Coordinates of all heavy atoms in Angstrom, one line a residue:
M1 N 21.9 11.4 9.7 CA 21.6 11.2 11.0 C 22.6 10.3 11.7 O 23.2 9.4 11.1 CB 20.2 10.4 11.2 CG 19.0 11.2 11.2 SD 17.6 10.3 11.4 CE 16.5 11.1 10.4
S2 N 23.0 10.8 12.9 CA 24.2 10.1 13.6 C 23.7 8.6 13.8 O 22.6 8.3 14.3 CB 24.5 10.8 14.8 OG 23.5 10.9 15.6
D3 N 24.6 7.7 13.7 CA 24.4 6.3 14.1 C 23.3 5.7 13.3 O 23.1 4.4 13.6 CB 24.2 6.1 15.7 CG 25.4 6.7 16.3 OD1 26.6 6.6 16.0 OD2 25.0 7.1 17.6
N4 N 22.7 6.3 12.3 CA 21.8 5.6 11.6 C 20.7 4.9 12.4 O 20.5 3.6 12.1 CB 22.3 4.7 10.5 CG 22.4 5.2 9.1 OD1 21.6 6.2 9.0 ND2 23.1 4.7 8.2
P5 N 19.9 5.6 13.1 CA 18.8 4.8 13.8 C 17.8 4.3 12.9 O 17.6 5.0 11.8 CB 18.3 5.9 14.8 CG 18.6 7.1 14.1 CD 20.0 6.9 13.5
R6 N 17.1 3.1 13.2 CA 16.0 2.7 12.4 C 14.7 3.5 12.5 O 13.9 3.8 11.6 CB 15.7 1.3 12.7 CG 16.9 0.3 12.4 CD 16.5 -1.1 12.5 NE 15.3 -1.3 11.7 CZ 14.5 -2.3 12.1 NH1 14.6 -2.9 13.3 NH2 13.5 -2.5 11.4
F7 N 14.5 4.0 13.8 CA 13.3 4.8 14.0 C 13.7 6.1 14.8 O 14.5 6.0 15.9 CB 12.4 4.0 14.9 CG 11.8 2.8 14.0 CD1 12.5 1.7 14.4 CD2 11.0 2.8 13.1 CE1 12.2 0.5 13.7 CE2 10.6 1.6 12.3 CZ 11.2 0.4 12.7
A8 N 13.5 7.3 14.3 CA 13.8 8.5 15.1 C 12.9 9.6 14.8 O 12.0 9.5 13.8 CB 15.3 8.9 14.5
L9 N 13.0 10.6 15.7 CA 12.1 11.7 15.6 C 13.0 13.0 15.7 O 13.9 13.1 16.6 CB 11.1 11.7 16.7 CG 10.2 13.0 16.8 CD1 9.2 12.9 15.5 CD2 9.2 12.9 18.0
L10 N 12.9 14.0 14.7 CA 13.6 15.2 14.7 C 12.6 16.3 15.1 O 11.6 16.6 14.3 CB 14.3 15.6 13.4 CG 15.4 14.7 13.0 CD1 15.8 14.9 11.4 CD2 16.6 15.0 13.9
R11 N 12.8 17.0 16.2 CA 11.7 17.9 16.6 C 11.8 19.1 15.8 O 10.8 19.9 15.5 CB 12.0 18.3 18.0 CG 11.7 17.3 19.0 CD 10.4 16.9 19.1 NE 10.3 15.7 20.1 CZ 9.0 15.1 20.4 NH1 7.8 15.6 19.7 NH2 9.0 14.3 21.3
T12 N 13.0 19.6 15.4 CA 13.2 20.8 14.5 C 14.0 20.4 13.3 O 15.3 20.7 13.4 CB 13.7 22.1 15.3 OG1 14.8 21.7 16.0 CG2 12.7 22.6 16.2
P13 N 13.7 19.7 12.3 CA 14.6 19.2 11.2 C 15.2 20.4 10.5 O 16.3 20.2 9.8 CB 13.6 18.5 10.3 CG 12.3 19.0 10.7 CD 12.3 19.4 12.0
T14 N 14.7 21.6 10.6 CA 15.5 22.8 9.9 C 16.6 23.3 10.5 O 17.4 24.1 10.0 CB 14.5 23.8 9.5 OG1 14.0 24.3 10.7 CG2 13.3 23.4 8.5
D15 N 16.7 22.8 11.8 CA 17.9 23.3 12.6 C 19.1 22.3 12.4 O 19.0 21.1 12.8 CB 17.4 23.3 14.1 CG 18.6 23.6 15.0 OD1 19.7 23.8 14.6 OD2 18.3 23.8 16.2
P16 N 20.1 22.8 11.8 CA 21.2 21.8 11.5 C 21.9 21.3 12.9 O 22.5 20.2 12.8 CB 22.2 22.5 10.9 CG 21.8 24.1 11.0 CD 20.4 24.1 11.4
L17 N 21.6 21.8 14.1 CA 22.2 21.3 15.2 C 21.2 20.4 15.9 O 21.6 19.7 17.1 CB 22.6 22.4 16.2 CG 23.6 23.3 15.6 CD1 23.8 24.6 16.6 CD2 24.9 22.8 15.4
C18 N 20.0 20.1 15.5 CA 19.0 19.3 16.1 C 19.4 17.9 16.0 O 19.8 17.4 15.0 CB 17.6 19.3 15.4 SG 16.4 18.4 15.9
K19 N 19.4 17.3 17.0 CA 19.8 15.8 17.1 C 18.6 14.9 17.2 O 17.5 15.3 17.9 CB 20.6 15.5 18.5 CG 21.9 16.3 18.6 CD 22.9 15.8 17.7 CE 24.3 16.5 18.0 NZ 25.1 16.5 16.8
P20 N 18.6 13.7 16.3 CA 17.4 12.9 16.4 C 17.2 12.3 17.8 O 18.2 11.9 18.4 CB 17.7 11.9 15.2 CG 19.2 11.9 15.1 CD 19.6 13.3 15.6
V21 N 16.0 11.9 18.1 CA 15.7 11.2 19.3 C 15.5 9.7 18.7 O 14.5 9.6 17.9 CB 14.5 11.7 20.1 CG1 14.1 10.7 21.1 CG2 14.8 13.0 20.5
A22 N 16.3 8.7 19.0 CA 16.1 7.4 18.4 C 15.3 6.7 19.3 O 15.3 6.7 20.4 CB 17.6 6.9 18.4
F23 N 14.7 5.6 18.6 CA 13.7 4.6 19.2 C 14.0 3.2 18.8 O 14.5 3.0 17.6 CB 12.2 5.0 18.9 CG 11.8 6.4 19.4 CD1 12.0 7.5 18.6 CD2 11.4 6.5 20.6 CE1 11.6 8.7 18.9 CE2 10.9 7.8 21.0 CZ 11.1 8.9 20.3
A24 N 13.9 2.4 19.7 CA 14.2 0.9 19.4 C 13.3 0.3 18.3 O 13.6 -0.6 17.5 CB 14.2 0.1 20.6
D25 N 12.0 0.7 18.3 CA 11.1 0.3 17.3 C 10.0 1.2 17.1 O 9.9 2.3 17.8 CB 10.6 -1.2 17.7 CG 9.9 -1.2 19.1 OD1 9.3 -0.1 19.4 OD2 9.9 -2.3 19.8
L26 N 9.2 0.9 16.1 CA 8.0 1.8 15.7 C 7.0 1.9 16.9 O 6.6 3.1 17.0 CB 7.3 1.3 14.4 CG 6.4 2.2 13.8 CD1 7.0 3.6 13.6 CD2 6.0 1.5 12.5
S27 N 6.9 0.9 17.7 CA 5.9 1.1 18.7 C 6.4 2.0 19.8 O 5.5 2.8 20.3 CB 5.7 -0.5 19.3 OG 4.9 -0.3 20.5
E28 N 7.6 2.0 20.1 CA 8.2 3.0 21.1 C 8.1 4.4 20.6 O 7.7 5.4 21.3 CB 9.6 2.6 21.4 CG 10.3 3.5 22.4 CD 11.8 3.0 22.7 OE1 12.0 1.8 22.9 OE2 12.6 3.9 22.5
L29 N 8.3 4.6 19.2 CA 8.1 5.9 18.7 C 6.6 6.4 18.8 O 6.3 7.5 19.1 CB 8.6 6.0 17.2 CG 8.2 7.3 16.4 CD1 8.8 8.4 17.0 CD2 8.8 7.0 15.0
A30 N 5.8 5.6 18.4 CA 4.3 5.7 18.6 C 3.9 6.1 20.0 O 3.1 7.1 20.2 CB 3.5 4.6 18.0
Q31 N 4.3 5.5 20.9 CA 4.0 5.8 22.5 C 4.6 7.1 22.7 O 3.9 7.9 23.4 CB 4.7 4.7 23.4 CG 4.0 3.3 23.2 CD 2.6 3.3 23.8 OE1 2.3 4.3 24.5 NE2 1.8 2.4 23.3
A32 N 5.8 7.4 22.3 CA 6.3 8.8 22.6 C 5.4 9.9 22.0 O 5.3 10.9 22.5 CB 7.8 8.8 22.0
L33 N 5.0 9.6 20.7 CA 4.2 10.6 20.0 C 2.8 10.8 20.9 O 2.2 11.9 21.0 CB 3.9 10.2 18.6 CG 5.1 10.5 17.7 CD1 4.7 9.8 16.4 CD2 5.4 12.0 17.5
H34 N 2.3 9.7 21.4 CA 1.0 9.7 22.2 C 1.2 10.6 23.4 O 0.3 11.3 23.7 CB 0.5 8.4 22.5 CG -0.3 7.6 21.3 ND1 -1.4 8.2 20.7 CD2 0.0 6.5 20.7 CE1 -1.8 7.4 19.8 NE2 -1.2 6.4 19.9
R35 N 2.4 10.5 24.0 CA 2.6 11.1 25.2 C 2.7 12.7 24.9 O 2.2 13.4 25.7 CB 3.9 10.7 25.9 CG 3.8 9.3 26.6 CD 5.0 9.0 27.5 NE 6.2 9.0 26.7 CZ 6.5 7.7 26.1 NH1 5.9 6.7 26.2 NH2 7.7 7.7 25.5
D36 N 3.3 12.8 23.9 CA 3.6 14.4 23.5 C 2.4 15.1 23.0 O 2.2 16.3 23.3 CB 4.7 14.4 22.3 CG 5.2 15.7 22.0 OD1 5.2 16.5 23.1 OD2 5.7 16.1 21.0
R37 N 1.5 14.4 22.3 CA 0.3 14.9 21.7 C -0.8 15.2 22.7 O -1.8 15.9 22.5 CB -0.2 14.4 20.5 CG -1.0 13.0 20.8 CD -1.1 12.4 19.6 NE -2.3 11.5 19.5 CZ -2.9 11.0 18.6 NH1 -2.2 10.8 17.5 NH2 -4.0 10.3 18.6
G38 N -0.8 14.4 23.8 CA -1.9 14.4 24.8 C -3.2 13.9 24.1 O -3.1 12.8 23.5
E39 N -4.2 14.6 24.2 CA -5.5 14.2 23.5 C -5.8 14.9 22.2 O -6.8 14.6 21.6 CB -6.7 14.6 24.6 CG -6.7 13.9 25.9 CD -6.7 12.4 25.7 OE1 -7.5 11.8 24.9 OE2 -6.0 11.7 26.4
A40 N -4.8 15.6 21.6 CA -5.0 16.2 20.5 C -4.9 15.3 19.2 O -4.2 14.3 19.2 CB -3.9 17.3 20.2
A41 N -5.6 15.5 18.1 CA -5.5 14.8 17.0 C -4.2 15.0 16.4 O -3.7 16.2 16.7 CB -6.8 15.1 16.1
I42 N -3.7 14.1 15.5 CA -2.5 14.3 14.7 C -2.9 14.4 13.2 O -3.6 13.6 12.8 CB -1.4 13.2 15.1 CG1 -0.9 13.3 16.4 CG2 -0.4 13.1 14.1 CD1 0.0 12.1 16.7
Q43 N -2.2 15.3 12.6 CA -2.0 15.2 11.0 C -0.8 14.9 10.7 O 0.2 15.3 11.3 CB -2.4 16.6 10.6 CG -2.3 16.6 9.0 CD -2.5 18.1 8.5 OE1 -1.8 19.0 8.9 NE2 -3.4 18.2 7.5
M44 N -0.6 13.9 9.8 CA 0.7 13.4 9.2 C 0.6 13.4 7.8 O -0.3 13.2 7.2 CB 1.0 12.1 9.9 CG 0.2 11.0 9.5 SD 0.8 9.3 10.2 CE 0.1 9.5 11.9
F45 N 1.9 13.6 7.2 CA 1.9 13.5 5.8 C 3.6 13.2 5.4 O 4.3 13.5 6.1 CB 1.3 14.7 4.8 CG 2.0 16.0 5.5 CD1 3.1 16.6 5.0 CD2 1.4 16.7 6.6 CE1 3.7 17.7 5.3 CE2 1.9 17.9 7.0 CZ 3.0 18.5 6.3
E46 N 3.5 12.5 4.2 CA 4.9 12.3 3.7 C 5.6 13.4 3.4 O 5.2 14.5 2.9 CB 4.8 11.4 2.4 CG 3.8 10.2 2.4 CD 4.4 9.0 3.3 OE1 5.6 8.9 3.5 OE2 3.5 8.3 3.8
A47 N 6.8 13.5 3.8 CA 7.8 14.7 3.8 C 9.2 14.3 3.7 O 9.9 14.1 4.6 CB 7.6 15.6 4.9
P48 N 9.6 14.0 2.5 CA 11.1 13.7 2.4 C 12.0 14.9 2.9 O 11.7 16.0 3.0 CB 11.4 13.6 0.9 CG 10.0 13.5 0.4 CD 9.0 14.1 1.2
L49 N 13.2 14.4 3.5 CA 14.0 15.3 4.1 C 15.5 15.1 3.6 O 15.9 13.9 3.7 CB 14.0 15.2 5.6 CG 14.9 16.0 6.5 CD1 14.4 17.6 6.4 CD2 15.0 15.7 7.9
L50 N 16.2 16.1 3.2 CA 17.5 15.9 2.8 C 18.5 15.9 4.1 O 18.5 16.9 4.8 CB 18.0 17.0 1.9 CG 19.4 16.9 1.1 CD1 19.5 15.4 0.5 CD2 19.6 18.0 0.2
V51 N 19.1 14.8 4.3 CA 19.9 14.8 5.4 C 21.5 15.0 5.0 O 21.9 14.6 4.0 CB 19.9 13.3 6.0 CG1 20.9 13.1 7.2 CG2 18.4 12.9 6.5
F52 N 22.0 15.9 5.7 CA 23.5 16.2 5.5 C 24.3 15.0 5.2 O 24.3 14.1 6.0 CB 24.0 17.2 6.6 CG 25.5 17.6 6.3 CD1 25.8 18.5 5.4 CD2 26.6 17.0 6.8 CE1 27.1 18.9 5.2 CE2 27.8 17.4 6.6 CZ 28.0 18.3 5.7
G53 N 25.0 15.1 4.1 CA 26.0 14.0 3.7 C 25.3 12.8 3.0 O 26.0 11.9 2.6
E54 N 24.0 12.9 2.8 CA 23.3 11.9 1.9 C 23.0 12.6 0.5 O 22.7 13.6 0.4 CB 22.1 11.5 2.7 CG 22.5 10.6 3.8 CD 21.3 10.1 4.6 OE1 20.2 9.9 4.1 OE2 21.5 9.4 5.6
D55 N 23.0 11.7 -0.5 CA 22.6 12.2 -1.8 C 21.2 12.3 -2.1 O 20.9 13.3 -2.8 CB 23.3 11.2 -2.9 CG 24.9 11.2 -2.9 OD1 25.4 12.2 -2.4 OD2 25.4 10.2 -3.3
Q56 N 20.5 11.5 -1.6 CA 19.0 11.5 -1.8 C 18.3 11.9 -0.5 O 18.7 11.5 0.6 CB 18.4 10.1 -2.3 CG 19.1 9.7 -3.7 CD 18.7 10.7 -4.8 OE1 17.6 11.0 -4.9 NE2 19.6 10.9 -5.6
P57 N 17.1 12.5 -0.6 CA 16.2 12.8 0.6 C 15.8 11.6 1.1 O 15.5 10.3 0.6 CB 15.0 13.5 0.0 CG 15.5 14.0 -1.2 CD 16.5 13.0 -1.9
R58 N 15.6 11.4 2.6 CA 15.1 10.3 3.2 C 13.4 10.5 3.2 O 13.0 11.6 3.5 CB 15.5 10.3 4.6 CG 16.9 9.9 4.8 CD 17.2 9.4 6.2 NE 18.5 9.0 6.4 CZ 19.0 8.3 7.4 NH1 18.1 8.0 8.3 NH2 20.3 8.1 7.5
A59 N 12.9 9.3 3.1 CA 11.4 9.3 3.1 C 11.1 9.5 4.6 O 11.7 8.8 5.5 CB 10.9 8.0 2.7
G60 N 10.1 10.2 5.0 CA 9.7 10.4 6.3 C 8.5 11.1 6.5 O 7.7 11.2 5.5
V61 N 7.9 11.3 7.7 CA 6.7 11.7 8.0 C 6.7 13.1 8.8 O 7.3 13.0 9.9 CB 5.9 10.8 8.7 CG1 4.4 11.2 9.1 CG2 5.7 9.6 7.6
S62 N 6.0 14.1 8.4 CA 6.0 15.2 9.2 C 4.6 15.1 10.0 O 3.6 14.7 9.6 CB 5.8 16.6 8.5 OG 7.1 17.0 7.9
L63 N 4.8 15.6 11.3 CA 3.6 15.4 12.2 C 3.2 16.8 12.9 O 4.0 17.6 13.4 CB 4.0 14.4 13.3 CG 4.4 13.1 12.9 CD1 5.5 12.6 13.7 CD2 3.2 12.2 13.0
W64 N 1.8 17.1 13.0 CA 1.4 18.2 13.6 C 0.2 17.8 14.5 O -0.6 16.9 14.3 CB 0.6 19.2 12.6 CG 1.8 19.8 11.7 CD1 2.3 19.3 10.5 CD2 2.2 21.2 11.8 NE1 3.1 20.3 10.0 CE2 3.2 21.3 10.8 CE3 2.1 22.1 12.7 CZ2 3.8 22.5 10.7 CZ3 2.7 23.3 12.5 CH2 3.6 23.4 11.5
T65 N 0.0 18.5 15.5 CA -1.3 18.3 16.4 C -2.2 19.2 15.6 O -1.9 20.3 15.0 CB -1.2 18.7 17.8 OG1 -0.7 20.2 18.0 CG2 -0.2 17.8 18.6
L66 N -3.6 19.0 15.9 CA -4.6 19.8 15.3 C -5.5 20.4 16.4 O -5.6 19.8 17.5 CB -5.6 19.0 14.5 CG -4.9 18.3 13.3 CD1 -5.9 17.5 12.5 CD2 -4.3 19.3 12.4
D67 N -5.9 21.7 16.3 CA -6.8 22.3 17.2 C -8.2 21.8 17.0 O -8.5 21.0 16.1 CB -6.6 23.8 17.2 CG -7.2 24.4 15.9 OD1 -7.9 23.8 15.2 OD2 -6.8 25.5 15.6
A68 N -9.1 22.3 17.7 CA -10.5 21.8 17.8 C -11.1 22.0 16.4 O -12.2 21.3 16.0 CB -11.3 22.6 18.9
D69 N -10.7 23.1 15.6 CA -11.2 23.4 14.4 C -10.6 22.7 13.3 O -11.0 22.9 12.1 CB -11.1 25.0 14.1 CG -11.9 25.8 15.1 OD1 -13.0 25.2 15.4 OD2 -11.5 26.9 15.4
G70 N -9.6 21.9 13.6 CA -8.9 21.0 12.5 C -7.8 21.6 11.9 O -7.1 21.2 10.9
A71 N -7.4 22.8 12.5 CA -6.2 23.6 11.9 C -4.9 23.0 12.6 O -5.0 22.7 13.8 CB -6.2 25.1 12.1
Q72 N -3.7 23.2 11.9 CA -2.6 22.6 12.6 C -2.1 23.6 13.7 O -2.2 24.9 13.7 CB -1.4 22.9 11.5 CG -1.5 21.9 10.4 CD -0.4 22.0 9.5 OE1 0.3 23.1 9.3 NE2 -0.1 20.9 8.7
A73 N -1.8 23.0 14.8 CA -1.5 23.8 16.1 C -0.2 23.7 16.5 O 0.4 24.9 16.8 CB -2.5 23.2 17.3
R74 N 0.5 22.6 16.5 CA 1.8 22.4 17.1 C 2.6 21.3 16.1 O 2.1 20.4 16.0 CB 1.7 22.1 18.5 CG 3.1 22.1 19.2 CD 3.0 21.8 20.6 NE 2.4 20.7 21.1 CZ 2.9 19.6 21.4 NH1 4.2 19.4 21.4 NH2 2.2 18.5 21.7
Y75 N 3.7 21.8 15.7 CA 4.5 20.8 15.1 C 5.3 19.9 16.0 O 6.0 20.3 16.9 CB 5.7 21.7 14.3 CG 6.5 20.8 13.4 CD1 5.9 20.1 12.3 CD2 7.8 20.6 13.6 CE1 6.8 19.3 11.4 CE2 8.7 19.8 12.8 CZ 8.1 19.3 11.7 OH 8.8 18.4 10.8
L76 N 5.0 18.6 15.8 CA 5.5 17.5 16.6 C 7.1 17.1 16.1 O 7.8 16.7 16.9 CB 4.7 16.3 16.7 CG 3.4 16.6 17.3 CD1 2.6 15.3 17.2 CD2 3.6 16.9 18.9
G77 N 7.2 17.2 14.9 CA 8.5 16.9 14.3 C 8.4 16.1 13.1 O 7.5 15.9 12.5
W78 N 9.6 15.5 12.6 CA 9.7 14.6 11.4 C 10.2 13.4 11.9 O 11.1 13.2 12.6 CB 10.8 15.4 10.4 CG 10.9 14.6 9.2 CD1 10.2 14.6 8.0 CD2 11.9 13.6 8.8 NE1 10.7 13.9 7.1 CE2 11.8 13.1 7.6 CE3 13.0 13.2 9.7 CZ2 12.8 12.3 7.0 CZ3 13.9 12.1 9.1 CH2 13.6 11.7 7.8
A79 N 9.4 12.3 11.5 CA 9.7 10.9 11.9 C 10.4 10.1 10.8 O 9.9 10.1 9.6 CB 8.5 10.4 12.3
W80 N 11.5 9.5 11.1 CA 12.1 8.6 10.2 C 11.8 7.1 10.7 O 11.8 6.8 11.9 CB 13.6 8.7 10.3 CG 14.4 7.5 9.8 CD1 15.2 6.6 10.6 CD2 14.6 7.1 8.4 NE1 15.7 5.7 9.8 CE2 15.4 6.0 8.5 CE3 14.1 7.6 7.2 CZ2 15.7 5.2 7.3 CZ3 14.4 6.8 6.1 CH2 15.2 5.6 6.2
L81 N 11.3 6.4 9.6 CA 10.5 5.1 10.0 C 11.2 4.0 9.3 O 10.4 3.1 8.8 CB 9.1 5.2 9.7 CG 8.2 6.4 10.2 CD1 6.9 6.6 9.6 CD2 8.1 6.4 11.7
D82 N 12.5 3.9 9.3 CA 13.3 2.8 8.6 C 12.8 2.7 7.2 O 12.5 1.6 6.6 CB 13.2 1.5 9.4 CG 14.1 0.5 9.1 OD1 15.3 1.0 8.4 OD2 14.0 -0.6 9.2
G83 N 12.3 3.9 6.6 CA 12.0 3.7 5.1 C 10.5 3.6 4.9 O 10.0 3.7 3.8
G84 N 9.8 3.5 6.1 CA 8.2 3.4 6.0 C 7.7 4.8 5.8 O 8.3 5.8 6.1
G85 N 6.5 4.7 5.7 CA 5.7 6.0 5.5 C 4.6 6.2 6.5 O 4.6 5.6 7.5
H86 N 3.7 7.1 6.1 CA 2.7 7.5 7.1 C 1.7 6.4 7.5 O 1.2 6.3 8.6 CB 1.9 8.8 6.7 CG 0.9 8.5 5.8 ND1 1.0 8.4 4.4 CD2 -0.4 8.6 6.0 CE1 0.0 8.3 3.8 NE2 -1.1 8.3 4.7
R87 N 1.6 5.5 6.6 CA 0.7 4.4 6.9 C 1.2 3.4 8.0 O 0.5 2.9 8.8 CB 0.4 3.6 5.5 CG -0.5 4.3 4.6 CD -0.9 3.6 3.3 NE -1.8 4.3 2.5 CZ -1.5 4.7 1.3 NH1 -0.2 4.6 0.9 NH2 -2.4 5.3 0.8
A88 N 2.5 3.2 7.9 CA 3.2 2.4 8.9 C 3.0 3.0 10.3 O 2.7 2.4 11.4 CB 4.7 2.2 8.5
L89 N 3.3 4.3 10.3 CA 3.2 5.1 11.6 C 1.7 5.2 12.1 O 1.5 4.9 13.3 CB 3.7 6.5 11.4 CG 3.6 7.4 12.6 CD1 4.4 6.7 13.8 CD2 4.3 8.7 12.3
R90 N 0.8 5.3 11.1 CA -0.7 5.3 11.5 C -1.0 4.1 12.1 O -1.8 4.0 13.2 CB -1.6 5.6 10.2 CG -3.0 5.7 10.7 CD -3.9 6.0 9.5 NE -5.2 6.2 10.1 CZ -6.0 7.2 9.8 NH1 -5.4 8.3 9.2 NH2 -7.0 7.4 10.4
A91 N -0.6 2.9 11.6 CA -0.9 1.6 12.2 C -0.3 1.5 13.6 O -1.0 0.9 14.5 CB -0.4 0.5 11.2
A92 N 0.9 1.9 13.7 CA 1.5 1.8 15.2 C 0.8 2.7 16.0 O 0.7 2.3 17.2 CB 3.1 2.2 15.0
L93 N 0.3 3.9 15.6 CA -0.3 4.8 16.5 C -1.7 4.1 16.9 O -2.2 4.2 18.0 CB -0.6 6.1 16.0 CG 0.7 7.0 15.8 CD1 0.4 8.2 14.8 CD2 1.1 7.6 17.2
D94 N -2.4 3.6 15.9 CA -3.7 2.9 16.2 C -3.5 1.7 17.1 O -4.4 1.6 18.0 CB -4.3 2.5 14.9 CG -4.9 3.6 14.1 OD1 -5.0 4.7 14.6 OD2 -5.2 3.3 12.9
A95 N -2.4 0.9 17.0 CA -2.2 -0.2 17.8 C -1.9 0.3 19.2 O -2.3 -0.5 20.1 CB -1.0 -1.1 17.3
A96 N -1.3 1.2 19.3 CA -0.7 1.7 20.6 C -1.8 2.4 21.4 O -2.0 2.2 22.6 CB 0.3 2.7 20.6
R97 N -2.8 3.1 20.6 CA -3.8 3.8 21.4 C -4.9 4.1 20.4 O -4.8 5.1 19.7 CB -3.4 5.1 22.0 CG -4.3 5.8 22.8 CD -3.5 6.9 23.7 NE -4.5 7.8 24.2 CZ -4.3 9.0 24.5 NH1 -3.0 9.5 24.4 NH2 -5.1 9.8 25.1
A98 N -5.9 3.3 20.4 CA -7.1 3.5 19.4 C -8.0 4.7 19.7 O -9.0 4.9 18.9 CB -7.8 2.3 19.2
D99 N -8.1 5.2 20.8 CA -9.2 6.2 21.2 C -8.8 7.6 20.8 O -9.7 8.4 21.0 CB -9.4 6.3 22.7 CG -8.3 6.6 23.5 OD1 -7.1 6.5 23.0 OD2 -8.5 6.9 24.7
V100 N -7.7 8.0 20.1 CA -7.4 9.4 19.9 C -7.4 9.4 18.3 O -6.7 8.6 17.6 CB -6.2 9.8 20.4 CG1 -5.8 11.2 20.0 CG2 -6.2 9.6 21.9
P101 N -8.1 10.5 17.5 CA -8.0 10.5 16.2 C -6.6 10.7 15.5 O -6.0 11.6 16.1 CB -9.1 11.5 15.8 CG -9.3 12.2 17.1 CD -9.0 11.4 18.2
V102 N -6.5 10.1 14.5 CA -5.2 10.5 13.6 C -5.8 10.8 12.2 O -6.4 10.0 11.6 CB -4.2 9.2 13.6 CG1 -3.2 9.5 12.7 CG2 -3.7 9.0 15.0
I103 N -5.3 11.9 11.6 CA -5.7 12.3 10.2 C -4.4 12.2 9.4 O -3.4 12.9 9.8 CB -6.2 13.7 10.2 CG1 -7.5 13.7 11.2 CG2 -6.6 14.2 8.9 CD1 -7.9 15.1 11.6
G104 N -4.5 11.4 8.4 CA -3.3 11.3 7.6 C -3.6 11.6 6.1 O -4.8 11.3 5.6
R105 N -2.6 12.0 5.3 CA -2.8 12.0 3.8 C -1.5 11.7 3.1 O -0.5 11.9 3.8 CB -3.3 13.5 3.5 CG -2.4 14.7 3.7 CD -2.8 15.9 3.2 NE -2.1 17.0 3.6 CZ -0.9 17.3 3.0 NH1 -0.5 16.7 1.9 NH2 -0.2 18.5 3.3
A106 N -1.6 11.3 1.9 CA -0.4 10.9 1.2 C 0.1 12.1 0.5 O -0.7 13.2 0.4 CB -0.8 10.0 0.2
A107 N 1.4 12.3 0.2 CA 2.1 13.3 -0.4 C 1.6 13.4 -1.8 O 1.1 12.6 -2.6 CB 3.6 13.2 -0.4

């Protein structure tokens, strides 16, 4: 990732031309996800991603919105959390807005 941001979101991580959207902190990333998802629930799970030029995959979190039946509806992207996992993101999402459900699972 360019400039090694501490917190970032890749909307289409399989696209080699996709640029990360960098955030100053985890709270800012959580707020952006809340704006993007609207009232939809989110599913998140650990998803390592091999970044070009790095030897080891980076730990990160894949994010999906869910439809009314609980099926994946829309891919939100892959989040880099300064080495943190889905539990750190879930806590930030809960702190930012506690009234929308978040569904998470470990890899």
